[in-house]
Amino acid sequence: MTKDVIALTPRMPDPWAVLAGLLSGGPDKLVGTRGEGAVIQLCDAQGRPLVSVEAPLLVSVEGEAERLLGTTAPPVPYWWTEARATTGVAEAEQLAGAFATRIAALVGGSAWPPDAAGSLAVVKTDGVSVAPEAAAAQPAIDVLTEKVAVVIQDRPVVAMTAWLSDALRAAAEAGLGLQIVSPAGATLSPAVRDALGGWPSRWIVQDDRDGYYDGLTGAVLRWQDGAFDPVRSPDATEDDPRTPVAAVYQVVHDAGDRQLGLTFRMVHPADERLMLGGGLETVWRELTGEPPAGWGTSEPANLPWSPARLTDVAYERAPEPTWFVVVGNRSRPGIATVRVTRTKAGVEEEVTLAFGYGADEEPPLDALPAAAEALATRHRLQSMVVQLRRARRDVAVPPRFEGPGVPLAFVLGAEEVRAMPGDRARRTPLAEQPVRLGPRTRPALYYPLPGDPSDLAGWREFERLMRHLKGA
């Protein structure tokens, strides 16, 4: 059942509209706040939240409602007001729906999902009680154990919303894993996949046949000892702990779509003139002909692309690391995550970027050397890996096997080339020798790799190259 309800409105909900929405539980319902007033909560008689409402977010990037909700939003800019109902309380879901319906009725717009829009009448919640404070203290967390925090997400795309970002941070600070449960048919935003980390954090998908399985590995799961863990096969041993794989995960849907993925790291001197985001914009322009469309510190990405504003946010949060999501225009699906970290070497930018292409579209592989050279000569590139993989054009992550990418190229920055002893970086065991990027006296090196997605030759060559560069 839906736990999140969102009002999409052309105007910002004013205080009176918000008050009318909050009165959907009646005038005697308790109201509390969290996050220095950024979250308003309708609470039960013991002060525990039934519905948590986040401050309205102004979205100035086209296509985000379509990408994340599968619905049409008002023309940009529009306001995104999100309410989360406490899990397992039917009245709480009705409250969230009534809240969004009242907001849309007063300031225009619509409520998502369409079937959540309910009556404008007061929802009866007499005698309703919710989870203990330990679980209810964090609005996004539905179940809390000694091992994990569990979040239930009934959305078409499980995205790195502000709710989920807070839950991920809270779980990490408590030393817990984060386990996200979603229904069959949901997909995962690459931003969540990249941030989820390893065990015991998981993306758990409900399935009619196998019950639950890991959406990224296919392992069949069961709730065991306070967490979702893999089921052991009957013939498993200590040396070979086999795990059944969900049948639906093994069904291959190959529509001919592909994704071009780039992962690169840049290290900048820490000075006041530093401008972040320039390297990402350079690559985006080289491969698509236009800059990114928008960015944000959560999804939806709500701000028009601006390296200056992105830099200001990272500067204000330093020395703590900062995470961003960057999206492209609808004509060329693309998404990137950027992690900015202050280290002894300077300011590091780590970027994971993917563009989607349909069966009738060709990825711009010829533009890769120029993009790499621009990074190496203008943005202090340390290293980059380029891959091509069979995956969805919309860059969403489905709960089924898509296969690994095949390395197309590896790039080593000028400082790293210079630091290697002798002529190791220039003379490799590969069939194709590296291409020099930048000035001859201080070049970066571009290593082409076999890029046929039908075999693993690219990975074998990539492994040989890495062993050679490390002196193994």
Side-chain angles (χ1 to χ4, degrees):
M1 299 182 70
T2 297
K3 303 299 183 295
D4 299 335
V5 182
I6 300 166
L8 304 171
T9 60
R11 294 187 291 117
M12 179 180 179
D14 56 50
W16 290 109
V18 174
L19 177 60
L22 293 174
L23 289 173
S24 57
D28 57 343
K29 195 58 57 189
L30 299 179
V31 176
T33 61
R34 292 184 60 82
E36 298 180 353
V39 176
I40 301 175
Q41 296 177 318
L42 286 174
C43 305
D44 64 7
Q46 287 73 43
R48 296 173 298 193
L50 289 164
V51 175
S52 300
V53 181
E54 194 156 274
L57 179 70
L58 180 63
V59 178
S60 300
V61 181
E62 291 186 352
E64 285 296 87
E66 291 82 353
R67 178 175 74 91
L68 299 177
L69 303 178
T71 191
T72 301
V76 295
Y78 62 89
W79 293 88
W80 179 301
T81 307
E82 192 156 334
R84 180 170 177 81
T86 297
T87 302
V89 182
E91 292 83 358
E93 297 176 23
Q94 295 172 24
L95 273 175
F99 171 84
T101 300
R102 289 188 175 198
I103 292 292
L106 290 170
V107 299
S110 61
W112 178 92
D115 58 3
S119 169
L120 297 178
V122 171
V123 177
K124 295 182 179 180
T125 57
D126 296 340
V128 171
S129 186
V130 297
E133 180 64 22
Q138 168 54 249
I141 294 176
D142 298 295
V143 178
L144 192 64
T145 73
E146 295 181 353
K147 295 181 179 180
V148 298
V150 180
V151 175
I152 299 173
Q153 290 276 277
D154 191 357
R155 303 167 76 131
V157 179
V158 178
M160 187 58 81
T161 61
W163 299 112
L164 192 56
S165 178
D166 288 344
L168 188 65
R169 187 182 306 109
E173 290 175 352
L176 303 174
L178 183 71
Q179 298 194 334
I180 304 169
V181 182
S182 66
T187 60
L188 193 70
S189 166
V192 179
R193 178 195 59 197
D194 297 342
L196 199 55
W199 180 89
S201 296
R202 298 181 186 277
W203 173 35
I204 297 139
V205 181
Q206 294 175 313
D207 180 57
D208 291 338
R209 177 173 175 177
D210 291 298
Y212 297 93
Y213 69 95
D214 189 311
L216 299 179
T217 68
V220 176
L221 306 173
R222 293 290 183 271
W223 182 259
Q224 307 171 75
D225 299 324
F228 283 98
D229 282 325
V231 174
R232 289 171 62 93
S233 297
D235 55 351
T237 65
E238 291 298 327
D239 295 331
D240 187 9
R242 301 176 186 177
T243 299
V245 176
V248 68
Y249 181 83
Q250 302 177 61
V251 177
V252 177
H253 298 274
D254 188 0
D257 293 359
R258 289 172 291 176
Q259 288 179 18
L260 182 63
L262 301 90
T263 302
F264 54 95
R265 181 190 298 268
M266 299 163 287
V267 182
H268 313 283
D271 61 49
E272 294 183 352
R273 296 172 297 176
L274 173 61
M275 183 73 72
L276 300 171
L280 175 59
E281 179 176 337
T282 296
V283 171
W284 212 293
R285 287 183 180 274
E286 289 285 349
L287 299 182
T288 70
E290 56 189 9
W295 70 284
T297 55
S298 62
E299 293 180 285
N302 65 309
L303 300 170
W305 176 245
S306 171
R309 292 190 65 184
L310 184 148
T311 302
D312 289 342
V313 171
Y315 182 81
E316 290 170 2
R317 295 186 177 185
E320 295 298 317
T322 307
W323 180 93
F324 302 105
V325 60
V326 182
V327 297
N329 294 307
R330 282 178 286 181
S331 60
R332 172 57 56 221
I335 187 169
T337 58
V338 183
R339 184 174 178 83
V340 179
T341 310
R342 183 74 168 88
T343 68
K344 293 181 179 180
V347 179
E348 296 188 7
E349 268 187 285
E350 186 172 356
V351 179
T352 300
L353 168 63
F355 294 111
Y357 300 88
D360 58 345
E361 298 174 310
E362 286 298 325
L365 305 185
D366 293 343
L368 290 173
E373 184 162 27
L375 282 176
T377 57
R378 291 156 44 192
H379 300 286
R380 297 181 178 270
L381 176 70
Q382 185 181 68
S383 63
M384 179 168 73
V385 178
V386 183
Q387 299 182 50
L388 187 66
R389 60 193 298 258
R390 298 188 185 278
R392 293 168 54 128
R393 183 181 187 273
D394 63 4
V395 302
V397 182
R400 64 173 183 268
F401 180 75
E402 285 190 314
V406 175
L408 299 179
F410 176 74
V411 185
L412 197 61
E415 289 298 323
E416 284 62 39
V417 171
R418 187 177 182 181
M420 283 196 177
D423 208 24
R424 183 191 302 167
R426 295 176 177 82
R427 297 185 180 277
T428 74
L430 302 183
E432 289 190 63
Q433 292 305 301
V435 178
R436 291 182 177 179
L437 304 176
R440 294 180 62 86
T441 56
R442 192 173 169 273
L445 294 178
Y446 181 97
Y447 301 88
L449 296 165
D452 184 359
S454 64
D455 61 40
L456 297 178
W459 279 116
R460 289 193 293 267
E461 290 295 277
F462 181 73
E463 182 183 7
R464 290 179 64 197
L465 175 62
M466 293 298 101
R467 290 169 60 87
H468 170 78
L469 294 178
K470 292 176 181 178

